[in-house]
Each structure stands twice: as structure tokens, then as C-alpha cells.
């Protein structure tokens, strides 16, 4: 089986290993092999992070590369393609990415120790409203969660569908190819067989699977 490369970009304060079950499912069911890109949002600027990501993609020397971002990782991919648009063809999936802003992050940032741990990249991407639009030729699929389990539910006091950290409305981005909402939490989506199937379907076919 010819394996297709997928670069996985983790979220804030995550080590990358949290994606193990998701990676195994994508490899077994779809023949996709995931390369984890690790970074520190607390100590590195977004420019530094995206430059390192560009270097990793060059090292792959692959004819096609997909990208998969969880939470803040989706915004890293967004900024990467904005700065370095000339990349091998492929598709992108965001999992629980706050595309406009993050009310939970904004609330957490009011506590000085937490704000310090967030770092410059988070301040740039999550603490101010953004009107982002997907303008790249490669298809983008977005999966949002609707199971409100997580401390973000308390911080943001959501009065709408959310995954416990990010509201469904915060995940929407104009220009995206497809957007679905599944009954999973922010971290639970990384363990969900249903999320894995939808992710693999989009990365291999360009659309999410048919659903009621």
C-alpha cells in the first residue's frame, strides 16, 4: 500500500502523542501515515513555528502532503500556508480549531500565570477577533464538537453548542469546503472512531462522508 503523508499539528500545551489513536486509525483504515510536527506556542513566535513547519515539509520530499490540525494547530497550518503557499498538493482538516477567536482563551488570559504560559503565538491568534477566510486551492474540511466537556465551558460560559473548549460558531471559516458537527468533546475528538473516519474520508476524497 502506498502511504500518503499527513502532517499533524497539535494544539496548545499538547505534546503530539495525544494523536496516537487517531494516527493508528488513519494508517489502518486509509493508508495514511502521519508525521507529528511539534512546537511550543509559549516560547516561539508564529513566524518561527511556520518556518520550522516549512522545513519539515521540505524534508518529506513527498509529491503530496495533507495537513491535519487540532485546535491551535489548525491556525498554525493556516498561517503556514499564508506564508508559504507553494506546497505539494493535498487537503486540510481542522479539528476543533477556533477560526475567529477563542472566548475560553480570552477568559483564561485574564489570569496572569495562565497568560504567561500561552505565549506570543496564542496572543496573536486566539485573543483578538480575526476575520479569516480560506483562500487556498486545497480543500479544507472542519470538524467541530458538540459535547461540552472541558474547563473552557466554565471559562467562556457558552450559551451555544460547544465542545467544552471551543464553540461551534468559533470553528466556522468562510471559504471552507465542508463543515460538520459531531457529538465529541475537544480532546475526545482525538479518540473518536467517527472523527477518524470522517477525517480520513475528507483527506482521501475531499468531502466528508454522507450523513443524515
Amino acid at each position: 500500500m502506498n502511504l500518503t503523508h499527513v502532517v499533524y499539528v497539535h494544539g496548545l500545551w499538547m505534546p503530539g502523542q495525544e494523536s496516537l489513536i487517531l494516527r493508528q486509525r488513519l494508517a489502518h483504515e486509509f493508508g495514511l501515515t502521519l508525521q507529528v510536527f511539534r512546537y511550543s506556542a509559549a516560547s516561539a513566535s508564529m513566524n518561527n513555528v511556520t518556518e520550522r513547519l516549512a522545513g519539515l515539509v521540505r524534508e518529506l520530499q513527498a509529491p503530496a502532503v495533507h495537513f491535519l490540525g487540532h485546535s491551535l494547530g489548525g491556525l498554525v497550518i493556516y498561517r503556514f500556508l499564508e506564508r508559504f503557499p507553494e506546497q505539494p498538493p493535498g487537503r486540510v482538516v481542522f479539528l476543533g480549531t477556533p477560526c475567529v477567536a477563542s472566548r475560553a482563551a480570552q477568559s483564561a488570559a485574564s489570569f496572569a500565570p495562565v497568560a504567561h504560559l500561552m505565549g506570543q503565538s496564542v496572543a496573536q491568534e486566539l485573543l483578538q477577533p480575526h476575520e479569516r477566510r480560506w483562500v487556498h486551492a486545497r480543500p479544507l474540511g472542519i470538524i467541530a464538537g458538540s459535547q461540552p466537556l472541558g474547563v473552557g465551558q466554565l471559562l467562556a460560559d457558552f450559551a451555544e453548542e460547544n465542545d467544552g473548549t471551543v464553540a461551534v460558531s468559533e470553528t466556522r471559516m468562510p471559504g471552507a469546503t465542508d463543515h460538520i458537527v459531531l457529538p465529541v468533546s475537544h480532546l475526545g475528538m482525538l479518540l473518536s472512531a467517527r472523527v477518524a473516519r470522517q477525517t480520513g474520508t475528507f483527506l482521501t476524497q475531499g468531502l466528508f462522508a454522507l450523513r443524515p
Side-chain angles (χ1 to χ4, degrees):
M1 181 183 294
N2 293 323
L3 295 178
T4 300
H5 283 284
V6 182
V7 176
Y8 170 78
V9 185
H10 60 76
L12 179 63
W13 301 326
M14 293 290 106
Q17 290 303 108
E18 75 285 346
S19 65
L20 178 61
I21 292 175
L22 175 60
R23 285 184 279 140
Q24 289 176 335
R25 284 177 169 145
L26 292 174
H28 178 71
E29 297 179 30
F30 296 93
L32 300 170
T33 180
L34 272 75
Q35 172 77 42
V36 178
F37 172 71
R38 295 180 175 85
Y39 66 99
S40 171
S43 61
S45 68
M46 186 58 75
N47 280 349
N48 176 265
V49 172
T50 54
E51 284 170 8
R52 289 184 49 242
L53 179 53
L56 182 148
V57 175
R58 284 195 300 271
E59 289 173 6
L60 291 177
Q61 295 184 332
V65 178
H66 302 310
F67 294 94
L68 173 60
H70 177 238
S71 198
L72 179 63
L75 298 182
V76 171
I77 295 168
Y78 178 87
R79 292 302 183 196
F80 161 70
L81 292 173
E82 188 176 60
R83 284 192 70 198
F84 305 100
E86 299 300 320
Q87 298 300 324
R91 302 183 179 103
V92 181
V93 170
F94 288 174
L95 304 176
T97 293
C99 295
V100 290
S102 170
R103 276 170 279 170
Q106 290 167 343
S107 297
S110 64
F111 300 97
V114 177
H116 176 72
L117 291 173
M118 285 182 172
Q120 179 184 350
S121 297
V122 177
Q124 280 180 251
E125 302 300 330
L126 298 184
L127 302 186
Q128 300 295 328
H130 290 274
E131 293 185 7
R132 298 184 178 95
R133 174 176 291 274
W134 191 256
V135 297
H136 308 289
R138 64 176 65 220
L140 168 65
I142 299 173
I143 299 178
S146 61
Q147 189 173 50
L149 298 176
V151 295
Q153 171 72 8
L154 301 175
L155 290 170
D157 192 24
F158 293 118
E160 60 180 296
E161 273 195 319
N162 67 90
D163 65 9
T165 301
V166 177
V168 170
S169 64
E170 293 175 330
T171 67
R172 298 189 183 278
M173 180 182 287
T177 309
D178 206 349
H179 182 285
I180 59 172
V181 182
L182 298 178
V184 293
S185 67
H186 195 64
L187 290 178
M189 63 178 61
L190 299 175
L191 306 175
S192 166
R194 191 172 173 185
V195 168
R197 284 194 298 271
Q198 290 286 8
T199 298
T201 299
F202 190 93
L203 291 178
T204 55
Q205 300 180 26
L207 287 171
F208 291 121
L210 294 177
R211 52 212 181 263

